Amino acid sequence: MLAYVLRRLISIPFLLLGVASVSFLLSQMTKGDPLAALVPERMMSNPEIVETVKAQWGLDQPLPIRYLRYLGNLVQGDLGTSFATRRPVATDIAERLPATLELVIAAMIIGTAMGLTLGLLSARFRGSAFDSIARIFALIGSSLPIFWSGLILLYVLSVRLAIVPGTGRLPPRIAPPPHHTGFYTVDALIAGDLSLFVQALTHLALPAFVLGWAVTGIITRLVRSSIVEGLSLDYARTARAKGAPERVVLVRHALPNALIPLLTILGFTFAYLITGAVLTEAIFSWPGIGSYAVRAAGALDYPAIGGVTIVGSVAFLLANLLTDIAYAWANPRIKVH
Amino acid sequence: MSAPLLSLKDLRIAFPDGDGGMAEGLRGVDLSLDPGEVLGIVGESGSGKSIAMMALLQLLPDSARVSGSARFKGQELIGMAGPRIRRIRGKSIGCIFQDPLSAFNPVLRIGDQVAEAILLHDSSRSRRDAMKAVEGLFERVAIPQPARRLRQYPHEFSGGMRQRAMIAMALANSPELLIADEPTTALDVTVQAQILDLLRDLRRDLGIGMVLITHDLGVVAGIADKIAVMYGGRIVERGATDPVFYETAHPYTAGLIGAVPDIEGTGALRQIEGTPPSIFTRPGGCSFHPRCTRAQAICAQEDPALAEVGNTDCACHFPLIATRTEVAE
Ligand SMILES: Nc1ncnc2c1ncn2[C@@H]1O[C@H](COP(=O)(O)OP(=O)(O)OP(=O)(O)O)[C@@H](O)[C@H]1O
Ligand SMILES: [Mg+2]
């Protein structure tokens, strides 16, 4: 198992090299001129200034040199300097990553919890009114675009009903807790500040729900169908023949078997959540990687775009690795070599 | 005479046929079993052996319609309320199934699955205590290194060991009746013999009543007190083991005996021609008549009733008055 994990870990840098190369080349092929982001419009006519800026950012070098330089920096953990913020991209990302992770993890928890509960109950009461309602709820979540469900819920719950606070991670002018993990909820607890924790949590709730709702459908469907299938298998009959009530057959026997396929789609779900986070962050003014990426794309800020791509890929590869490990752990029949 | 351990009266099972109608899987079965007795139920695939036993434990899908009576120690099982039947399942009646690999939950440890049988019926016992009991059960069914085996998963057991564990699970609460549905069909021949020996020992030591389902008459020959031969959802011949073998009345039973490989191992198997009918396409009259060498016109029209013929009960218009000598040698 350990050897397997190591082998997978070793493969990650090579995959990243591919990702970095593709993203670098794509950025070179786009039509937009990054100089527009660097040189104020009225100075564009001054060739001296243009040349100086080009040299300063290394844009005067031929493509292969720029490529090698980019990779060389990358190996040292240097993602370049953002054209827009004029700060190292790595610093920008490190600052914003916790906000995104907090959002995505909360969404994952909400989506999985809702999907498991709905899937379990609809399998237990299949064919009932509850089954239909759960199906519709799940279907809406996975078919409504996030910007749509996000805006509607924000408008109804926050603007009209004022049940939840508005956008952002905290109310305006409230200072974040001292930095430990970068997760405001966790840091507030570490600081022992309960009211701050509640504020962070209520701000997190709606965007995390919107994002989690989007993956509830696929999880519900999967859990329901695996459990319904499990209930018809021989081991379920054995459990009933032992005298187990249907609830026990479901929870103790069918559910653990349903977790195995669930784990395999969670990795996929995570990738979906990362992309979905871009939209959610934009709608909820969430200061994470997603809103950073949106801004960078608008400004042709190539170093920032490249940095976000690489961080996203790392997250995706790690999530997949974790999924595989969890899968092997949950399934005693798999012996990974 | 004490009350029978199990008695079935006119047990009928129908399944929806997909066209809004019902097809009869079991067409009126009468059987009885005394405490400590072993009953062999024999018949080809689809004859209704399994559904008959599943019906009395209410383990058939909800779509199945069951009627008639099945009494266990005098209590009616058909239509018994959920909580009451659950106290009988696994406690008074233990079950063993054909394929011990799929019958175990693949993601739970065998020891936990066997212990569950105990804990479900006695919530006052601790898990540790139940595990100790499981170790004892494993010893009883001759699983080597029980303490280590407890912690393994089903796929780490061999087929024979899994079936032993299955038997241990069925015996966990010292049931009075053990239903074994083709317990050896999925196993190698040598392992089959070992499992049958184990069942024979249990029967001798525990005095437990057994229903042994099989499509191989040879399997029940050495262990059953009585035999019911099923075909097309009914019993076609029923009687004590010896008369069924040596004073066979039904041509179908005779055919099954012919299908038992002979001792000399010449490989000469006498098979019955054709295949058994499905419940949806069962022929009228005696459902065996299309495959029967003795069939006459009446066989296609009238389904013969089960009646005493010689020393067995037989449902046939033209029973054999044959002895074992004429049939097999
Ligand atoms: N849920 C069901 N729906 C419809 N028909 C069924 C159902 N369960 C069983 N049957 C039918 O009932 C008949 C008897 O089935 P049963 O399982 O009792 O056969 P069996 O004698 O045990 O045969 P085998 O040796 O294959 O186990 C079969 O023809 C089968 O197709
Ligand atoms: Mg069967």
Coordinates of all heavy atoms in Angstrom, one line a residue, chain A residues 233-246 248 252-254 256-257 260 330-335, chain B residues 54 59 86 89-91 93 95 97 99 102-108 113-114 116-117 120-121 153 155 166 169:
Chain A
L233 N -29.5 -8.4 -3.0 CA -28.4 -9.4 -3.1 C -28.5 -10.4 -2.0 O -29.2 -10.3 -1.0 CB -27.0 -8.7 -3.1 CG -26.8 -7.7 -4.3 CD1 -25.4 -7.1 -4.1 CD2 -26.9 -8.5 -5.6
D234 N -27.7 -11.5 -2.2 CA -27.7 -12.6 -1.3 C -27.4 -12.2 0.1 O -28.0 -12.8 1.1 CB -26.7 -13.7 -1.8 CG -27.3 -14.5 -3.0 OD1 -28.4 -14.2 -3.4 OD2 -26.6 -15.4 -3.4
Y235 N -26.4 -11.3 0.3 CA -26.0 -11.0 1.7 C -27.1 -10.3 2.4 O -27.2 -10.5 3.6 CB -24.7 -10.2 1.7 CG -24.7 -8.8 1.1 CD1 -25.4 -7.8 1.8 CD2 -24.1 -8.5 -0.1 CE1 -25.4 -6.5 1.3 CE2 -24.1 -7.2 -0.6 CZ -24.8 -6.2 0.1 OH -24.8 -5.0 -0.4
A236 N -28.0 -9.6 1.7 CA -29.1 -9.0 2.4 C -30.1 -10.1 2.8 O -30.7 -10.0 3.9 CB -29.8 -8.0 1.5
R237 N -30.3 -11.1 2.0 CA -31.2 -12.2 2.3 C -30.6 -12.9 3.6 O -31.3 -13.3 4.5 CB -31.3 -13.2 1.2 CG -32.2 -14.3 1.5 CD -32.3 -15.3 0.3 NE -30.9 -15.9 0.1 CZ -30.6 -16.7 -0.9 NH1 -31.6 -17.1 -1.7 NH2 -29.4 -17.2 -1.1
T238 N -29.3 -13.1 3.6 CA -28.7 -13.8 4.7 C -28.9 -13.0 6.0 O -29.3 -13.5 7.0 CB -27.2 -13.9 4.5 OG1 -26.9 -14.5 3.3 CG2 -26.5 -14.7 5.6
A239 N -28.8 -11.6 5.9 CA -29.0 -10.8 7.1 C -30.5 -10.9 7.5 O -30.7 -11.1 8.7 CB -28.7 -9.4 6.8
R240 N -31.4 -10.9 6.6 CA -32.8 -11.1 7.0 C -33.0 -12.4 7.6 O -33.8 -12.6 8.6 CB -33.7 -10.9 5.8 CG -33.7 -9.5 5.2 CD -34.8 -9.3 4.1 NE -34.5 -8.1 3.4 CZ -34.0 -8.0 2.2 NH1 -33.7 -9.1 1.5 NH2 -33.7 -6.8 1.7
A241 N -32.4 -13.5 7.0 CA -32.6 -14.8 7.6 C -32.0 -14.9 9.0 O -32.4 -15.8 9.7 CB -31.9 -15.8 6.6
K242 N -31.1 -14.0 9.3 CA -30.5 -14.0 10.7 C -31.5 -13.4 11.7 O -31.3 -13.4 12.9 CB -29.2 -13.2 10.8 CG -28.0 -13.9 10.3 CD -26.8 -13.2 10.6 CE -26.3 -12.2 9.5 NZ -25.0 -11.7 9.8
G243 N -32.5 -12.7 11.1 CA -33.5 -12.0 12.0 C -33.3 -10.5 12.0 O -33.8 -9.8 12.8
A244 N -32.4 -9.9 11.1 CA -32.2 -8.5 11.1 C -33.4 -7.8 10.5 O -33.9 -8.1 9.5 CB -31.0 -8.2 10.2
P245 N -33.8 -6.7 11.2 CA -34.9 -5.9 10.7 C -34.3 -5.1 9.5 O -33.1 -4.9 9.3 CB -35.2 -4.9 11.8 CG -34.1 -5.0 12.8 CD -33.4 -6.3 12.6
E246 N -35.3 -4.6 8.6 CA -34.9 -4.0 7.3 C -33.9 -2.8 7.6 O -33.0 -2.6 6.8 CB -36.2 -3.5 6.6 CG -36.0 -3.5 5.1 CD -35.5 -4.7 4.5 OE1 -35.7 -5.8 5.0 OE2 -34.9 -4.6 3.4
V248 N -31.6 -2.5 9.8 CA -30.3 -3.0 10.0 C -29.7 -3.5 8.7 O -28.5 -3.3 8.4 CB -30.3 -4.1 11.1 CG1 -28.9 -4.8 11.2 CG2 -30.7 -3.5 12.4
R252 N -26.4 -1.5 8.1 CA -25.2 -2.2 8.4 C -24.7 -3.0 7.2 O -23.5 -3.3 7.1 CB -25.5 -3.2 9.6 CG -24.2 -3.6 10.3 CD -24.4 -4.5 11.5 NE -25.3 -4.0 12.5 CZ -26.0 -4.7 13.4 NH1 -25.9 -6.0 13.3 NH2 -26.7 -4.1 14.3
H253 N -25.6 -3.4 6.3 CA -25.1 -4.3 5.2 C -25.1 -3.6 3.9 O -24.1 -3.7 3.2 CB -26.0 -5.5 5.2 CG -25.8 -6.5 6.4 ND1 -24.8 -7.4 6.4 CD2 -26.4 -6.5 7.6 CE1 -24.8 -8.0 7.5 NE2 -25.8 -7.5 8.3
A254 N -26.2 -3.0 3.5 CA -26.2 -2.4 2.2 C -25.3 -1.1 2.1 O -24.6 -0.8 1.2 CB -27.6 -2.1 1.7
P256 N -22.5 0.0 3.8 CA -21.0 -0.1 3.6 C -20.7 -0.5 2.2 O -19.6 0.0 1.7 CB -20.6 -1.1 4.6 CG -21.7 -1.2 5.6 CD -23.0 -0.8 4.9
N257 N -21.5 -1.3 1.6 CA -21.2 -1.7 0.2 C -21.4 -0.5 -0.8 O -20.8 -0.4 -1.8 CB -22.1 -2.9 -0.2 CG -21.5 -4.2 0.3 OD1 -20.6 -4.7 -0.2 ND2 -22.1 -4.6 1.4
I260 N -18.5 2.1 -1.3 CA -17.4 1.9 -2.2 C -17.5 2.6 -3.6 O -16.7 3.4 -4.0 CB -17.2 0.4 -2.4 CG1 -16.8 -0.2 -1.1 CG2 -16.1 0.1 -3.5 CD1 -16.8 -1.7 -1.1
A330 N -11.8 1.0 2.1 CA -13.1 0.6 2.3 C -13.5 -0.7 1.7 O -14.4 -1.4 2.1 CB -14.1 1.7 1.7
N331 N -12.7 -1.2 0.8 CA -13.0 -2.4 0.1 C -12.0 -3.5 0.4 O -10.9 -3.5 -0.2 CB -13.0 -2.2 -1.4 CG -13.5 -3.4 -2.2 OD1 -13.6 -4.5 -1.6 ND2 -13.8 -3.2 -3.4
P332 N -12.3 -4.4 1.4 CA -11.3 -5.3 1.8 C -10.8 -6.3 0.7 O -9.8 -7.0 0.8 CB -12.0 -6.1 2.9 CG -13.4 -5.8 2.7 CD -13.5 -4.5 2.1
R333 N -11.6 -6.3 -0.4 CA -11.2 -7.3 -1.5 C -10.0 -6.7 -2.3 O -9.4 -7.5 -3.0 CB -12.4 -7.6 -2.4 CG -13.4 -8.5 -1.8 CD -14.7 -8.5 -2.5 NE -15.3 -7.1 -2.4 CZ -16.5 -6.8 -2.9 NH1 -17.2 -7.7 -3.5 NH2 -17.0 -5.6 -2.7
I334 N -9.8 -5.4 -2.2 CA -8.8 -4.8 -3.0 C -7.5 -4.9 -2.2 O -7.4 -4.3 -1.1 CB -9.1 -3.3 -3.3 CG1 -10.4 -3.2 -4.0 CG2 -7.9 -2.7 -4.1 CD1 -10.4 -3.3 -5.5
K335 N -6.5 -5.5 -2.8 CA -5.1 -5.4 -2.2 C -4.3 -4.6 -3.2 O -4.0 -5.2 -4.3 CB -4.6 -6.8 -2.0 CG -5.2 -7.6 -0.8 CD -4.4 -7.3 0.4 CE -5.1 -8.0 1.6 NZ -6.4 -7.4 2.0
Chain B
M54 N -38.2 -20.3 1.4 CA -38.2 -18.8 1.6 C -39.6 -18.3 2.0 O -39.7 -17.4 2.8 CB -37.8 -18.1 0.3 CG -36.3 -18.4 -0.1 SD -35.1 -17.9 1.1 CE -34.7 -19.5 1.8
L59 N -39.3 -14.6 3.2 CA -38.1 -14.0 2.6 C -38.3 -13.8 1.1 O -37.4 -13.4 0.4 CB -36.8 -14.8 2.9 CG -36.3 -14.8 4.3 CD1 -35.1 -15.7 4.5 CD2 -35.9 -13.3 4.7
R86 N -39.3 -12.2 12.8 CA -37.9 -11.9 12.9 C -37.3 -12.6 14.1 O -36.1 -12.9 14.2 CB -37.7 -10.4 13.0 CG -37.7 -9.7 11.6 CD -37.0 -8.4 11.6 NE -37.7 -7.4 12.5 CZ -38.7 -6.6 12.0 NH1 -39.1 -6.7 10.8 NH2 -39.3 -5.8 12.9
R89 N -36.7 -16.2 12.7 CA -35.5 -16.2 11.8 C -34.2 -16.2 12.5 O -34.0 -15.2 13.3 CB -35.6 -15.0 10.8 CG -36.7 -15.0 9.8 CD -36.5 -13.7 9.0 NE -37.6 -13.4 8.2 CZ -37.9 -12.1 7.8 NH1 -37.1 -11.2 8.1 NH2 -38.9 -11.9 7.0
G90 N -33.3 -17.1 12.2 CA -32.0 -17.0 12.8 C -32.0 -17.5 14.2 O -30.9 -17.6 14.8
K91 N -33.1 -17.6 14.9 CA -33.1 -18.0 16.3 C -33.7 -19.5 16.4 O -33.0 -20.3 16.8 CB -34.0 -17.1 17.1 CG -34.3 -17.5 18.5 CD -33.7 -16.5 19.5 CE -34.0 -17.0 20.9 NZ -32.8 -17.6 21.5
I93 N -35.1 -21.0 13.6 CA -34.8 -21.6 12.3 C -33.6 -20.9 11.7 O -33.5 -19.7 11.5 CB -36.0 -21.3 11.3 CG1 -37.3 -21.9 11.9 CG2 -35.7 -22.0 9.9 CD1 -38.6 -21.7 11.0
C95 N -30.6 -20.8 8.6 CA -30.6 -21.0 7.1 C -29.1 -21.1 6.6 O -28.3 -20.3 7.0 CB -31.2 -19.8 6.4 SG -33.0 -20.0 6.2
F97 N -27.2 -21.1 2.7 CA -27.6 -20.9 1.3 C -26.5 -21.6 0.4 O -25.4 -21.9 0.8 CB -27.7 -19.4 1.0 CG -28.8 -18.8 1.8 CD1 -28.5 -18.0 2.9 CD2 -30.1 -19.0 1.5 CE1 -29.5 -17.4 3.6 CE2 -31.1 -18.5 2.3 CZ -30.8 -17.6 3.3
D99 N -24.6 -20.4 -2.3 CA -23.3 -19.9 -2.6 C -22.8 -19.1 -1.4 O -23.2 -18.0 -1.2 CB -23.5 -18.9 -3.8 CG -22.2 -18.3 -4.2 OD1 -21.2 -18.5 -3.5 OD2 -22.1 -17.6 -5.3
S102 N -21.4 -15.3 -2.0 CA -22.3 -14.1 -2.2 C -23.2 -14.0 -0.9 O -23.8 -13.0 -0.7 CB -23.2 -14.3 -3.4 OG -23.9 -15.4 -3.4
A103 N -23.4 -15.1 -0.2 CA -24.3 -15.1 1.0 C -23.6 -14.3 2.1 O -24.3 -13.8 3.0 CB -24.6 -16.5 1.5
F104 N -22.3 -14.1 2.1 CA -21.7 -13.3 3.1 C -21.5 -11.8 2.6 O -21.3 -11.7 1.4 CB -20.3 -13.8 3.5 CG -20.3 -14.9 4.6 CD1 -20.0 -16.2 4.3 CD2 -20.7 -14.5 5.9 CE1 -20.1 -17.2 5.3 CE2 -20.7 -15.5 6.9 CZ -20.4 -16.8 6.6
N105 N -21.6 -10.9 3.5 CA -21.4 -9.5 3.1 C -19.9 -9.3 2.8 O -19.0 -9.5 3.7 CB -21.8 -8.6 4.2 CG -21.9 -7.1 3.7 OD1 -21.1 -6.7 2.9 ND2 -22.9 -6.4 4.3
P106 N -19.5 -8.9 1.6 CA -18.1 -8.9 1.3 C -17.2 -7.9 2.1 O -16.0 -8.0 2.2 CB -18.1 -8.5 -0.2 CG -19.4 -7.8 -0.5 CD -20.3 -8.5 0.5
V107 N -17.8 -6.8 2.6 CA -17.0 -5.8 3.3 C -17.0 -5.9 4.8 O -16.5 -5.1 5.5 CB -17.5 -4.4 2.9 CG1 -17.4 -4.2 1.4 CG2 -18.9 -4.0 3.4
L108 N -17.7 -7.0 5.3 CA -17.6 -7.1 6.8 C -16.9 -8.4 7.2 O -16.9 -9.4 6.4 CB -19.1 -7.2 7.4 CG -20.0 -6.1 7.0 CD1 -21.4 -6.3 7.6 CD2 -19.4 -4.8 7.6
Q113 N -20.0 -10.9 11.2 CA -21.3 -11.4 10.6 C -21.9 -12.5 11.4 O -23.1 -12.6 11.5 CB -21.0 -11.8 9.2 CG -20.5 -10.6 8.3 CD -20.6 -10.9 6.8 OE1 -21.6 -11.3 6.3 NE2 -19.4 -10.7 6.2
V114 N -21.1 -13.4 11.9 CA -21.6 -14.5 12.7 C -22.1 -14.0 14.0 O -23.2 -14.4 14.5 CB -20.5 -15.6 12.8 CG1 -21.1 -16.8 13.7 CG2 -20.1 -16.2 11.5
E116 N -23.2 -11.2 14.7 CA -24.4 -10.4 14.5 C -25.7 -11.3 14.7 O -26.7 -10.9 15.3 CB -24.5 -9.8 13.1 CG -25.7 -8.9 12.9 CD -25.8 -8.4 11.4 OE1 -25.2 -9.1 10.5 OE2 -26.5 -7.4 11.2
A117 N -25.5 -12.6 14.3 CA -26.7 -13.5 14.4 C -27.0 -13.7 15.9 O -28.2 -13.8 16.3 CB -26.3 -14.8 13.8
L120 N -28.3 -10.0 17.4 CA -29.6 -9.6 17.0 C -30.7 -10.2 17.9 O -31.8 -9.6 18.0 CB -29.9 -10.1 15.5 CG -29.3 -9.2 14.4 CD1 -29.4 -9.9 13.1 CD2 -30.1 -7.9 14.4
H121 N -30.4 -11.4 18.5 CA -31.4 -12.0 19.3 C -31.2 -11.9 20.8 O -32.0 -12.4 21.6 CB -31.5 -13.5 18.9 CG -32.0 -13.7 17.5 ND1 -33.4 -13.5 17.1 CD2 -31.4 -13.9 16.3 CE1 -33.5 -13.7 15.8 NE2 -32.3 -13.9 15.3
Y153 N -12.0 -11.6 6.1 CA -13.1 -11.3 5.3 C -13.5 -12.5 4.4 O -12.7 -13.4 4.2 CB -12.8 -10.1 4.4 CG -12.6 -8.8 5.1 CD1 -11.4 -8.3 5.6 CD2 -13.8 -8.0 5.4 CE1 -11.3 -7.2 6.3 CE2 -13.7 -6.8 6.1 CZ -12.4 -6.4 6.5 OH -12.3 -5.2 7.2
H155 N -13.7 -13.1 1.3 CA -12.8 -13.5 0.2 C -11.6 -14.2 0.6 O -10.9 -14.8 -0.2 CB -12.5 -12.3 -0.7 CG -11.6 -11.4 -0.1 ND1 -12.0 -10.4 0.8 CD2 -10.2 -11.3 -0.2 CE1 -10.9 -9.7 1.2 NE2 -9.8 -10.2 0.6
M166 N -20.8 -20.4 7.4 CA -22.2 -20.2 7.2 C -23.0 -21.1 8.1 O -24.0 -20.7 8.7 CB -22.5 -20.6 5.7 CG -23.8 -20.1 5.2 SD -23.8 -18.4 4.8 CE -25.4 -17.9 5.1
M169 N -22.9 -19.8 11.5 CA -23.8 -18.7 11.7 C -25.3 -19.2 11.9 O -26.0 -18.7 12.7 CB -23.7 -17.8 10.4 CG -24.5 -16.5 10.5 SD -23.7 -15.3 9.5 CE -24.5 -15.6 8.0

